[in-house]
């Protein structure tokens, strides 16, 4: 029996196949490894870029060196050179930084001209570089025993103490220096005070433990940035300029990284909690003005979260883009008279939806046009069907004239310009120049189609509301401030433009009259060439996206409240009743004072002039760290070893390796993997592994025997993937070779060894695996919704070196989800999955039915929760209750939202996200066909399924055990209702696991 059992286990190595599946990536937003990367070297940086962004990269290199000097005056410099990657393969603003495996920063070359929280900047490269470089200065720092551990283990992330800090500290410090060193950025803008005013007015100011990136309450993950920056700024304001650097030094050497109050007391004599509570006490409800923001104001939406860009339709209704959290982003229509609201369609981003004269909606949305490239293009939706107008044109914020002519913003490397194109997408004709120091956004046609109102941003943080002619010539400047002037929209008579501005510290609605077009009515004795401005609103928090109705009687706008943005309508005062804020001339050019130069260099002029050379990855592929490995060896004793890995800056190479040895037996287990991405697609994977197994058994006369097996395996494969915003698919194909040999540990065992188990057995094979999914997962969802996920794996192996016999297997799953809006903070979901597997009797391992499907999480080394994925799981039964060459299973679950928690647990590094309840029914079986009985994979005595079934429930808690890294914990019970010839462990069993069941 022992030898047969070991023979069955000889082919159990599914780990390589699983590893290949796990390596498949959707590549959302990552840089393209197949691009023609080049490098320039400065004193502290290796700057990598593609030829199309060389000018921006050289500017970023100069900014980075200047920012390095400024940060070095405040913080301890990081170790070694920093890799700075400048990419332009995605149409969104972002950046990232990591100290592992080396110090690296990625910048996407798109200015945040359309990002409300980031729009106050003097120079976007300076803001972005300073923010991300602050992360490197902060996270690289390690002192005390942490520094000693790094001297032994290298740049091991486990010994980087500041990586353990909550994101509100990491991001708060970066935002603090982004403003402190540049004079602009988020702490100098109006957004954070607005958030505080709204939260204070609602009595909803959070505690420090509530500032998790995984927060399910509005602002979502932005809460860590907004309040984290305020907390760090409060430290600087109350404890002195040197308090933040001292705090960083304290956290860099603290024995336990979670004792934040202790680190703060060492740094400046007060706990973080004390500083925060003192700040909270200073913020009162009196900071929020009472009353309506506009005359006769009436809100039309109550879902909160995000609302943008309302537009009036010809029949007097409003269409707008929204993300309610309960559903993925979409476009909605509301009737102001009745409040009746309808969802018209799905959107990939919150962009204006422009009603067209002939029907339909014009809008922009991002989409993948390749495995690594995201571009925003124009689309038209008519009668529920989407039609794409452009591909790869990089267009956002469109507006349409009555004759169908379109004006839009076009992204170019490091800037944004205005362009014009025909109703059907036509040729794209630039209206303005593209410049890193001048950027354009939010164009709107005048009612007569003879002019365009738009926002012009200029270096120094100046934004203007500008009127252009149809060829792009500037006619008038209606507003110019070192503030955020945004979202212009025409009054129906074409004599004035309404827009939002935070020039007074709060975002309010303003109106500006064109020279000679109603100025006399508004200001009486105004000069003919003067511009008159009047503030229309008095919002306690902020008011955005003004949109006059087509009859000029009403004004739609978006009001910020503690739970998000809300669409409302008000009456629009006539020109003769407006109170002007001032009369000022537009000729000559306006002279508005700008508060000083940038602190970090003159990045508008400074560029690096170093020589560019072809990118080389080899410097970054040298291992920089190692991690000790302690595990259970095959011989039953502890095995000791280590692991390491490396990857280059642009993703062309990534490798990992680990090895361990069990001293008593000498067993060496090792594996290594390498991924090559230079082709872009396919990704090339090579994996090799060796491990040992030991079988102890007893002969019929009671004498013990030991038989060891050494297995070596190699896999090479190709992985293809096709990411899209609404679907994803992947395919991997590969070949493998297994070499196995038995090592008898006594003469009697050697004599008993079957002939077919002697020598080295070579088992070549091929494998094909695919996945496709179109499920939706809204921000507040407790489960995937409204879609399907399918997987399939096919495998064939030749069981000896002569090419035969052959064994084949196939495993497939399909999961379906349907959201039901029947109450709660998120949709209820009905989820169902079916799984099936088949292999012939020559297989060396069997399918097992039973057990709890899910994931696995090591709370401590060697102390896991969860047993991993089980496609044929049946809760209430053991994982191998039934085994065979054929298996099938099905599950139906009702997933119901329970409560949004959104709270931390005092000063502990634990955050609770949301909770839900699950009621389930499982059924499954594994069996052998009659022809397979007696084969290695079959122990069954019957030739048909004997169904096991169970029912039960689970409590699901989504929580972050270390501040921001969220996991799904499931605690449940199962009651077997059909035993299928198997005796279950108990009448009621309980389980604790992680991850979803599917």
């Amino acid at each position: 029996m022992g030898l047969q059992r070991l023979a069955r286990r000889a082919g159990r190595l599914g780990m390589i196949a699983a590893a290949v599946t796990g390596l498949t990536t959707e590549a959302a937003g990552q840089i393209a490894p197949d691009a023609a990367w080049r490098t320039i070297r400065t004193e502290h940086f290796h700057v990598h870029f593609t030829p199309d962004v060389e000018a921006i990269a050289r500017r970023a290199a100069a900014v980075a060196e200047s920012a390095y000097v400024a940060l070095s005056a405040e913080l301890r410099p990081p170790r070694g050179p920093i890799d700075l990657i400048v990419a332009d393969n995605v149409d969104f603003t972002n950046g990232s930084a990591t100290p592992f495996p080396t110090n690296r920063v990625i910048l996407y070359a798109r200015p945040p001209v359309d990002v409300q929280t980031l729009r106050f900047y003097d120079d976007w490269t300076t803001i972005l570089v300073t923010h991300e470089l602050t992360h490197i200065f902060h996270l690289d720092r390690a002192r005390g025993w942490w520094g000693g551990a790094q001297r032994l283990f290298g740049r091991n992330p486990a010994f980087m103490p500041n990586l353990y800090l909550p994101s509100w500290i990491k991001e708060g410090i970066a935002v603090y220096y982004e403003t402190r060193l540049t004079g602009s950025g988020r702490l100098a803008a109006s957004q954070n005070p607005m958030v505080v005013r709204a939260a204070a007015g609602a009595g909803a100011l959070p505690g420090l433990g509530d500032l998790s990136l995984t927060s399910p309450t509005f602002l979502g993950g932005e809460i860590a940035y907004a309040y984290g920056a305020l907390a760090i700024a409060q430290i600087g304001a109350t404890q002195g300029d040197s308090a933040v650097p001292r705090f960083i030094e304290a956290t860099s050497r603290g024995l336990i990284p979670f004792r934040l109050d202790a680190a703060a007391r060492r740094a400046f004599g007060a706990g973080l909690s004390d500083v925060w509570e003192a700040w909270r006490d200073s913020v009162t409800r009196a900071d929020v003005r009472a009353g309506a923001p506009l005359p006769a104001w009436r809100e039309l939406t109550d879902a909160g979260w995000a609302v943008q860009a309302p537009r009036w339709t010809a029949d007097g209704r409003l269409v707008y883009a929204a993300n309610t959290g309960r559903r993925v982003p979409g476009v909605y229509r509301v009737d102001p008279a009745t409040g009746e609201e309808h969802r018209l369609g799905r959107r990939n981003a919150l962009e204006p939806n422009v009603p067209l004269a002939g029907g339909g909606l014009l809008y922009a949305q991002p989409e993948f046009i390749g495995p690594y490239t995201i571009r925003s293009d124009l689309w038209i939706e008519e009668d529920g069907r989407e039609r794409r107008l452009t591909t790869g044109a990089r267009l956002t914020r469109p507006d349409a004239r009555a004759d169908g002519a379109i004006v839009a913003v076009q992204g170019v490397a490091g800037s944004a310009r205005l362009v014009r194109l025909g109703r059907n997408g036509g040729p794209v004709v630039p209206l303005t120049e593209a410049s890193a120091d001048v950027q354009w956004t939010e164009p709107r046609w005048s009612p007569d189609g003879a002019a365009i109102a738009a926002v012009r941003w200029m270096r120094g943080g100046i934004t203007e509301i500008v009127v252009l002619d149809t060829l792009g010539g500037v006619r008038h400047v209606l507003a110019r401030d070192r503030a955020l002037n945004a979202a212009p929209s025409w009054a129906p008579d074409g004599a004035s433009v309404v827009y939002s501005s935070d020039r007074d510290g709060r975002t309010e609605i303003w109106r500006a009259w064109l020279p000679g077009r109603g100025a006399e009515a508004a200001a009486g004795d105004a000069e003919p060439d003067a511009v008159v401005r009047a503030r229309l609103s008095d919002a306690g928090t902020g008011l955005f996206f003004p949109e006059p109705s087509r009859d000029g009687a009403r004004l739609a706008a978006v009001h910020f409240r503690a739970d998000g943005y809300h669409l409302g309508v008000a009456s629009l005062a006539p020109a003769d009743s407006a109170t002007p804020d001032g009369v000022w001339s537009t000729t000559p050019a306006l002279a508005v004072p700008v508060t000083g130069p940038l602190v970090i260099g003159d990045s508008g002029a400074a560029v690096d002039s170093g020589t560019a050379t072809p990118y080389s990855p080899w410097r970054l592929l040298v291992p920089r760290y190692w991690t000790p490995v302690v595990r259970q060896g095959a011989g039953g004793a502890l095995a000791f070893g280590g692991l390491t890995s490396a990857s280059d800056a642009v993703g062309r190479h990534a490798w990992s390796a680990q090895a361990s040895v069990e001293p008593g037996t000498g067993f060496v287990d090792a594996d290594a993997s390498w991924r090559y991405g230079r082709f872009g697609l396919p990704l090339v994977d090579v994996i090799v592994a060796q491990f040992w197994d030991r079988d102890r058994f007893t002969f019929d006369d009671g004498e013990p025997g030991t038989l060891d097996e050494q297995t070596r395996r190699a896999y090479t494969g190709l992985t293809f993937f096709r990411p899209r915003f609404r679907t994803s698919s992947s395919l991997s194909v590969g070949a493998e070779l297994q070499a196995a040999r038995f090592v008898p540990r006594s003469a009697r065992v050697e004599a008993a060894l079957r002939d077919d188990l002697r020598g080295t057995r070579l088992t070549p094979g091929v494998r094909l695996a695919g996945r496709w999914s179109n499920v939706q997962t809204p921000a507040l969802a407790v489960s995937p919704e409204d879609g399907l996920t399918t997987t399939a794996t096919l495998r064939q192996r030749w069981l000896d070196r002569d090419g035969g016999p052959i064994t084949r297997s196939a495993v497939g799953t399909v999961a379906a989800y349907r959201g039901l809006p029947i109450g709660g903070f998120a949709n209820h979901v009905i989820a169902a999955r079916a799984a099936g597997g088949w292999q012939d009797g020559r297989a060396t391992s069997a399918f097992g039915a039973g057990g709890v499907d899910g994931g696995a999480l090591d709370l401590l080394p060697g102390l896991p929760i969860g047993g991993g994925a089980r496609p044929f799981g049946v809760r209430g039964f053991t994982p191998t209750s039934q085994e065979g060459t054929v298996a099938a299973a099905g599950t139906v679950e009702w997933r119901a939202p329970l409560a949004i928690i959104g709270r931390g647990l005092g000063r502990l590094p634990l955050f609770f996200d949301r909770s839900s309840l699950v009621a389930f029914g499982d059924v499954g079986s594994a069996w052998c066909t009659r022809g397979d009985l007696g084969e290695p994979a079959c122990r069954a005595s019957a030739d048909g399924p004997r169904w096991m079934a169970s029912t039960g429930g689970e409590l699901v808690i989504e929580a972050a055990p270390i501040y921001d890294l969220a996991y799904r914990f499931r605690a449940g019970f199962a009651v077997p209702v059909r035993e299928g010839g198997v005796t279950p462990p108990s009448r009621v069993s309980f389980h604790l696991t992680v991850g979803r069941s599917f």
Side-chain angles (χ1 to χ4, degrees):
M1 289 295 292
L3 298 182
Q4 289 181 345
R5 183 164 60 252
L6 190 56
R8 286 196 304 273
R9 290 210 305 259
R12 67 173 172 82
L13 280 180
M15 70 175 188
I16 290 180
V20 174
T21 303
L23 286 171
T24 300
T25 176
E26 301 299 338
Q30 73 180 44
I31 56 180
D34 57 335
W37 292 95
R38 297 181 66 78
T39 301
I40 52 178
R41 292 169 177 82
T42 68
E43 182 179 359
H44 300 103
F45 296 88
H46 295 260
V47 182
H48 313 293
F49 59 91
T50 51
D52 55 320
V53 295
E54 181 168 355
I56 299 300
R58 291 186 177 278
R59 182 166 175 158
V63 168
E65 285 294 347
S66 191
Y68 191 101
V69 172
L71 281 167
S72 295
E74 302 260 343
L75 307 174
R76 295 294 184 92
R79 297 160 291 171
I82 301 168
D83 288 278
L84 175 62
I85 302 99
V86 181
D88 192 34
N89 59 307
V90 296
D91 280 348
F92 55 73
T93 301
N94 204 354
S96 63
T98 178
F100 173 79
T102 58
N103 287 321
R104 301 175 186 184
V105 171
I106 298 176
L107 307 178
Y108 293 108
R110 182 178 178 87
V113 67
D114 287 328
V115 184
Q116 186 168 296
T117 58
L118 303 176
R119 287 178 77 166
F120 186 62
Y121 57 92
D122 290 319
D123 176 82
W124 73 268
T125 53
T126 303
I127 287 287
L128 192 55
V129 168
T130 304
H131 181 99
E132 302 302 342
L133 190 56
T134 300
H135 283 313
I136 297 299
F137 273 69
H138 180 205
L139 301 178
D140 182 76
R141 188 71 174 141
R143 302 171 62 215
W145 82 272
W146 301 95
Q150 286 200 20
R151 284 188 286 274
L152 176 62
F153 297 108
R155 297 185 62 87
N156 192 316
F159 302 111
M160 293 181 172
N162 291 326
L163 282 177
Y164 292 94
L165 300 180
S167 287
W168 70 261
I169 290 182
K170 292 182 284 191
E171 298 299 342
I173 288 173
V175 173
Y176 172 74
Y177 280 109
E178 125 194 344
T179 295
R180 175 173 169 78
L181 299 181
T182 70
S184 58
R186 278 165 278 195
L187 276 174
S190 63
Q191 184 80 6
N192 280 4
M194 178 185 72
V195 169
V196 171
R197 290 195 303 272
L205 285 171
L208 282 182
D210 305 334
L211 308 183
S212 173
L213 282 180
T214 67
S215 177
T217 59
F218 186 80
L219 301 156
E222 286 292 324
I223 195 172
Y225 290 80
Y227 286 103
L230 291 170
I232 301 301
Q234 180 73 1
I235 293 172
T238 60
Q239 309 299 325
D241 293 343
S242 63
V244 176
R246 292 199 308 269
F247 177 64
I248 290 175
E249 290 300 295
T251 61
S252 301
R253 67 170 303 164
L255 181 64
I256 301 175
F258 309 121
R259 299 184 66 224
L260 303 179
D261 276 349
R265 290 191 179 94
R266 287 196 303 271
F268 47 79
L272 283 182
S273 302
D274 299 331
V275 173
W276 184 253
E277 290 306 317
W279 174 82
R280 277 168 50 103
D281 291 343
S282 70
V283 180
T284 67
R285 293 175 182 267
D287 293 328
V288 181
R289 298 175 185 149
L294 283 164
W297 175 259
R298 181 165 52 91
E299 289 192 355
L300 303 176
T301 62
D302 59 8
W305 213 260
V307 173
Q308 286 195 19
R311 296 288 188 268
W312 291 93
T313 63
D315 59 2
R317 293 184 287 184
L318 285 161
V319 294
Y320 61 95
N323 181 1
T324 65
R326 289 180 61 103
R327 303 190 69 177
V328 295
V331 57
Y332 293 79
R333 182 180 63 208
V334 63
D335 187 335
T338 64
E340 185 178 2
E341 184 181 47
H342 294 285
R343 181 180 168 95
L344 303 180
R346 182 178 176 181
R347 296 291 184 265
N348 297 343
L350 298 183
E351 282 269 344
N353 288 264
V354 182
L356 299 174
L361 296 173
L362 169 71
Y363 55 96
Q365 67 180 4
E367 183 57 277
F368 283 89
I369 63 170
Y372 307 97
T373 304
I374 298 174
R375 293 293 181 238
S376 183
D377 281 292
L378 298 187
W379 301 66
I380 287 179
E381 181 173 334
E382 296 174 298
D383 300 323
R385 295 184 178 181
E386 290 184 305
R387 176 166 59 92
R388 190 171 192 160
L389 291 186
T390 64
T391 300
R394 311 190 68 175
L395 301 175
T396 60
R397 304 289 170 178
D399 194 41
R401 200 166 59 181
D403 64 356
I406 298 170
V407 63
V409 178
Q410 184 176 51
V412 294
S415 189
R417 65 186 178 187
L418 300 184
V419 297
R420 181 177 171 177
L421 56 164
R423 176 186 175 93
N424 292 320
V428 177
V429 179
L431 295 177
T432 62
E433 293 184 359
S435 166
D437 293 325
V438 179
Q439 294 141 27
W440 296 83
T441 189
E442 297 180 309
R444 297 295 300 275
W445 287 107
S446 63
D448 62 3
I452 300 167
V455 176
R456 177 168 62 182
W457 175 96
M458 294 188 296
R459 177 175 162 73
I462 304 299
T463 57
E464 299 176 331
I465 303 298
V466 177
V467 176
L468 307 94
D469 60 31
T470 57
L471 298 179
V474 175
R475 289 183 177 178
H476 309 289
V477 178
L478 302 184
R480 186 173 196 259
D481 302 284
R482 189 173 188 266
L484 298 185
N485 295 317
S489 182
W490 292 87
D493 61 1
S496 62
V497 172
V498 294
Y499 62 98
S500 67
S501 176
D502 67 353
R503 65 190 300 267
D504 293 336
R506 300 176 190 242
T507 302
E508 303 282 3
I509 304 303
W510 291 71
R511 189 172 190 174
W513 283 265
L514 275 65
R517 298 291 306 276
E520 298 82 1
D525 58 353
E527 296 295 328
D529 63 346
V531 171
V532 177
R533 294 192 301 191
R535 196 178 81 182
L536 304 183
S537 67
D538 188 21
T541 53
L543 211 57
F544 304 84
F545 302 108
E547 183 74 6
S549 61
R550 299 192 179 193
D551 61 5
R554 293 172 293 174
L555 181 70
V558 174
H559 186 210
F560 183 85
R561 288 171 30 196
D563 65 341
Y565 296 85
H566 296 263
L567 176 64
V569 293
S571 59
L572 181 60
D576 57 6
S577 66
T579 301
D581 182 69
V583 180
W584 46 289
S585 174
T586 61
T587 56
L590 301 175
V592 176
V594 179
T595 57
L598 294 177
V599 178
I600 297 180
D602 182 13
S603 64
V607 296
D608 185 271
S609 57
T611 301
T613 59
Y615 169 79
S616 174
W618 307 119
R619 171 182 61 89
L620 296 170
L621 295 177
V622 177
R624 312 282 176 155
Y625 80 103
W626 71 282
T627 296
V629 171
V630 180
R631 62 175 190 82
Q632 185 76 26
L638 291 179
F640 304 90
L643 65 85
T644 189
S645 65
S647 62
D648 73 299
V650 302
R652 289 184 177 176
H653 303 267
W655 66 266
S656 66
Q658 66 173 324
S660 62
V661 59
E662 188 178 15
T665 62
F667 290 162
V668 175
D669 287 7
D671 63 76
S673 65
W674 173 62
R675 164 158 281 184
Y676 183 61
R678 182 64 179 86
F679 302 135
L681 284 185
L683 300 174
V684 180
D685 295 298
V686 177
I687 305 173
V688 294
Q690 169 183 288
F691 59 90
W692 288 83
D693 205 346
R694 167 163 285 183
D695 189 38
R696 294 184 175 90
F697 58 94
T698 303
F699 287 97
D700 292 341
D701 60 3
E703 180 181 345
T706 301
L707 182 65
D708 296 332
E709 182 184 14
Q710 180 193 53
T711 302
R712 293 174 176 173
R713 215 163 181 195
Y715 173 91
T716 183
L718 307 177
T719 298
F720 304 83
F721 55 89
R722 184 181 184 274
R724 293 294 184 267
F725 271 70
R726 304 184 190 182
T727 65
S728 64
S729 56
S730 64
L731 178 70
S732 65
V733 57
E736 59 187 356
L737 177 64
Q738 176 178 296
R741 68 184 183 93
F742 288 105
V743 181
R745 295 303 181 183
S746 69
R748 184 174 182 183
V749 173
E750 164 128 16
L753 195 64
R754 297 201 318 255
D755 290 340
D756 63 330
L757 299 180
R758 297 179 183 276
T760 299
R761 293 162 295 123
L762 295 178
T763 307
V766 294
R767 180 181 177 275
L768 178 69
R771 181 183 182 276
W772 181 89
S773 179
N774 70 341
V775 299
Q776 304 176 28
T777 306
L780 297 178
V782 299
S783 164
E785 301 178 4
D786 300 327
L788 297 172
T789 296
T790 61
T791 66
T793 301
L794 306 176
R795 190 180 184 194
Q796 175 171 303
R797 291 182 298 158
W798 290 265
L799 297 180
D800 64 39
R801 69 189 73 190
D802 297 324
I806 294 174
T807 180
R808 297 185 176 97
S809 66
V811 177
T813 67
V814 57
Y817 309 88
R818 180 64 176 174
L820 302 173
I822 57 175
F825 67 85
N827 289 334
H828 293 236
V829 177
I830 295 179
R833 183 181 68 167
W838 169 88
Q839 58 187 352
D840 56 44
R842 291 181 293 274
T844 54
S845 62
F847 294 127
V852 179
D853 191 14
L857 169 66
D858 282 329
L859 294 181
L860 294 171
L863 182 61
I865 290 180
R870 302 187 187 281
F872 310 112
V874 182
R875 282 161 279 197
F877 294 84
T878 61
T880 55
S881 292
Q882 293 182 358
E883 292 183 304
T885 54
V886 183
T891 295
V892 175
E893 294 188 353
W894 183 287
R895 300 170 177 176
L898 182 58
I900 284 184
I901 306 170
R903 291 289 182 268
L905 192 61
R907 301 179 186 181
L908 296 178
L910 180 62
F911 180 82
F912 293 98
D913 184 338
R914 71 199 78 178
S915 61
S916 57
L917 295 174
V918 174
F920 67 84
D922 292 344
V923 62
S925 182
W927 66 95
C928 290
T929 62
R930 186 175 299 276
D932 292 336
L933 294 180
E935 295 285 355
C938 278
R939 286 186 295 172
S941 59
D943 58 352
R946 296 169 296 165
W947 297 104
M948 303 176 292
S950 66
T951 187
E954 294 178 337
L955 171 64
V956 181
I957 301 290
E958 297 183 39
I962 304 181
Y963 299 117
D964 304 285
L965 189 60
Y967 291 91
R968 179 173 287 101
F969 297 91
R970 295 160 43 210
F973 70 94
V975 179
V977 295
R978 185 183 179 94
E979 298 183 354
V982 176
T983 301
S986 62
R987 297 183 60 183
V988 179
S989 63
F990 298 90
H991 57 268
L992 175 64
T993 190
V994 296
R996 290 193 181 95
S997 55
F998 59 92

